[in-house]
Amino acid sequence: MDIDDPIYAEQGGSKGKRLRCFLQKVDDATATRTLQALWEHRAEHLARTGRQDPIQNAEGRFLGLLARLNGQPTNAGEAPPRRAFDWRLLAELRDELVRVESLRAHERGYAFEAFLRRCFDMAGLTAREPFRNTGEQIDGSFLLGEETYLLEAKWHSQPTGVADLHVFHGKLDQKAAWARGLFVSYKGFTTEGLAAFGSGKRLICMDGRDIYDALDRQIPLKAVLERKVRRAAETGRPFIPTRELFD
């Protein structure tokens, strides 16, 4: 269940306030399952760290709470909580990516951009349509956390070299200092191009194999991008494959 759904942020954005709002909105059976899972996690943490329970009679109070919940009627008619991930849709997107590859050359680029927007929308990244500034084309943008990322999507017959990377990075340099970029090249990037491009840049890179691996292994796109960003910050490398990030 997606605890980051805005409907659970009515009392504030902290984890505790979201959980409290969630428990107030869901039916009693869902609240019971949630609390039981959290209790098991809490008990395992205390056992692993060798700590004594800091709350007197915590288990008894917890079991009393569950008893009250189970004794109340279920709130019929309420909408069930939205799933955090739609595994069926992930499989459909994986198959769609394969179909895009079978299209004619002049159709693939636009179909690939539309496919990426659906991926970003499904991941809750607030994707925006392609837009044109004076003298340049941007393939779209999306939000990752609190950061705005501009998108460059390429479907060439050969891996992308250093020239295209420099061109896109030049576009970023003309934007606000906090703008970042995602360069998606379906055919990947040349080893020489990545080496010549260097490290410590304002963009991360993704190829078609990254996307297919994420969809096939049911790894949410948002999780892939977040890990790419973190590893890029730690290593300076703009491109680290999904299979290396999730070994």
Side-chain angles (χ1 to χ4, degrees):
M1 296 174 182
D2 187 2
I3 199 63
D4 291 322
D5 192 310
I7 66 172
Y8 304 129
E10 293 176 356
Q11 302 171 13
S14 70
K15 289 181 286 188
K17 291 179 179 178
R18 283 178 178 274
L19 176 61
R20 187 176 297 111
C21 185
F22 171 84
L23 292 173
Q24 291 170 348
K25 286 179 174 290
V26 298
D27 60 86
D28 294 340
T30 300
T32 298
R33 291 199 306 275
T34 303
L35 291 171
Q36 285 175 327
L38 289 171
W39 178 265
E40 292 171 3
H41 175 74
R42 180 180 186 273
E44 290 173 0
H45 174 72
L46 290 173
R48 186 171 61 253
T49 58
R51 295 175 54 197
Q52 296 293 322
D53 198 317
I55 300 175
Q56 185 176 7
N57 192 29
E59 186 171 8
R61 294 166 63 183
F62 173 72
L63 293 175
L65 172 62
L66 292 189
R68 291 196 300 275
L69 281 173
N70 291 328
Q72 296 173 358
T74 301
N75 300 322
E78 291 188 357
R82 188 189 313 173
R83 292 176 179 268
F85 309 113
D86 188 334
W87 308 116
R88 178 187 56 81
L89 182 55
L90 289 177
E92 290 179 358
L93 287 170
R94 177 199 60 197
D95 297 339
E96 181 180 345
L97 179 60
V98 175
R99 288 195 297 272
V100 171
E101 188 171 17
S102 67
L103 296 175
R104 290 175 292 184
H106 69 279
E107 298 175 336
R108 281 199 298 258
Y110 294 108
F112 189 44
E113 289 180 14
F115 164 81
L116 290 175
R117 285 197 299 277
R118 283 191 288 275
C119 288
F120 294 143
D121 287 338
M122 188 203 71
L125 298 175
T126 319
R128 181 181 172 188
E129 297 285 331
F131 56 91
R132 179 175 293 278
N133 293 327
T134 302
E136 67 176 7
Q137 170 75 27
I138 302 294
D139 291 333
S141 66
F142 62 92
L143 295 177
L144 182 63
E146 300 299 324
E147 305 291 348
T148 299
Y149 282 76
L150 303 183
L151 173 67
E152 182 82 359
K154 296 289 186 184
W155 192 306
H156 292 163
S157 59
Q158 299 296 326
T160 295
V162 68
D164 286 331
L165 289 169
H166 279 313
V167 168
F168 183 46
H169 200 269
K171 294 179 182 179
L172 292 177
D173 284 339
Q174 301 304 312
K175 305 299 184 294
W178 55 84
R180 287 161 170 74
L182 171 65
F183 197 123
V184 182
S185 172
Y186 182 79
K187 290 295 185 179
F189 304 87
T190 65
T191 302
E192 298 80 5
L194 289 173
F197 185 58
S199 59
K201 299 298 194 294
R202 293 166 57 190
L203 62 84
I204 56 174
C205 299
M206 174 178 277
D207 63 11
R209 179 62 183 269
D210 278 339
I211 301 171
Y212 183 88
D213 284 346
L215 295 172
D216 188 53
R217 296 173 59 184
Q218 298 185 331
I219 305 172
L221 177 63
K222 184 177 179 181
V224 175
L225 293 174
E226 287 173 340
R227 194 162 295 191
K228 278 181 173 286
V229 169
R230 181 168 183 173
R231 288 291 292 275
E234 294 170 345
T235 67
R237 295 164 57 192
F239 176 64
I240 301 177
T242 296
R243 57 187 178 276
E244 181 178 335
L245 295 170
F246 297 86
D247 188 8

